[in-house]
Amino acid sequence: MELDLEQMMFLIQRRYRVLQEIDKLTSELQEAVTRNDTVSASLLLDMRADQIEESDRCWQEIWMMSEKGSEAASAVRELMRSDPAAVRPTGSFEEQKIYEIRRKTEKLIKVIQEKDRNLNRRVGGGQSYYVKTNK
């Protein structure tokens, strides 16, 4: 059975939108921590956890597409594991969009990770995971 690139593109786009929401919630969490607003921080952490679960669901659906056969598995691996910054797709519109969204997603993930790192250092102080791993 052939891989549905359009469905894959939609799933990757949905995951990107979820990550945008995680980024927004992370910024709001930083503000709540700055205000020492533990109630808001707790709610924001719960909301973020829900969005992370949604991102995981999208990721799982994408990889489940590889179960349609060896050709589909090979195509999913190629589209999801290759370096999107290095690839210049010449394939279909959907393939081009997949790589474009993956490039944007990688940049967004780096932004979120940096916010998380800063938040962890601020909240954890000397006990922060990032302080401990740099020793």
Side-chain angles (χ1 to χ4, degrees):
M1 186 173 222
E2 192 173 307
L3 179 63
D4 185 350
L5 286 175
E6 185 176 17
Q7 177 64 23
M8 187 174 184
M9 179 184 68
F10 287 136
L11 288 167
I12 290 170
Q13 180 64 40
R14 182 172 11 140
R15 182 171 179 262
Y16 178 71
R17 277 190 242 111
V18 168
L19 288 168
Q20 287 177 312
E21 182 64 19
I22 291 170
D23 181 46
K24 181 179 140 246
L25 291 168
T26 303
S27 294
E28 291 175 14
L29 179 60
Q30 287 176 313
E31 291 171 17
V33 166
T34 299
R35 294 188 314 267
N36 291 322
D37 183 351
T38 57
V39 173
S40 293
S42 179
L43 289 170
L44 289 163
L45 282 170
D46 288 343
M47 292 167 64
R48 243 177 54 128
D50 292 342
Q51 292 299 310
I52 291 169
E53 287 177 19
E54 178 62 25
S55 173
D56 287 345
R57 277 191 292 276
C58 291
W59 195 248
Q60 288 172 356
E61 285 184 56
I62 291 166
W63 285 103
M64 284 176 52
M65 295 178 85
S66 69
E67 295 175 1
K68 294 181 179 178
S70 62
E71 285 182 33
S74 178
V76 169
R77 274 193 306 275
E78 177 64 28
L79 288 167
M80 296 307 294
R81 289 200 173 139
S82 60
D83 180 3
V87 174
R88 296 290 175 243
T90 56
S92 67
F93 168 80
E94 291 85 357
E95 183 180 331
Q96 292 175 27
K97 290 303 282 184
I98 287 168
Y99 284 115
E100 177 186 327
I101 297 165
R102 284 196 54 227
R103 282 189 288 277
K104 293 187 324 185
T105 299
E106 284 191 1
K107 289 177 187 175
L108 182 57
I109 288 172
K110 288 178 184 176
V111 168
I112 295 168
Q113 287 172 333
E114 186 58 31
K115 287 179 182 180
D116 276 344
R117 220 178 333 275
N118 291 335
L119 189 59
N120 189 288
R121 286 185 193 127
R122 181 181 182 118
V123 172
Q127 297 299 314
S128 168
Y129 168 81
Y130 296 103
V131 171
K132 290 179 180 183
T133 58
N134 289 334
K135 290 182 180 181

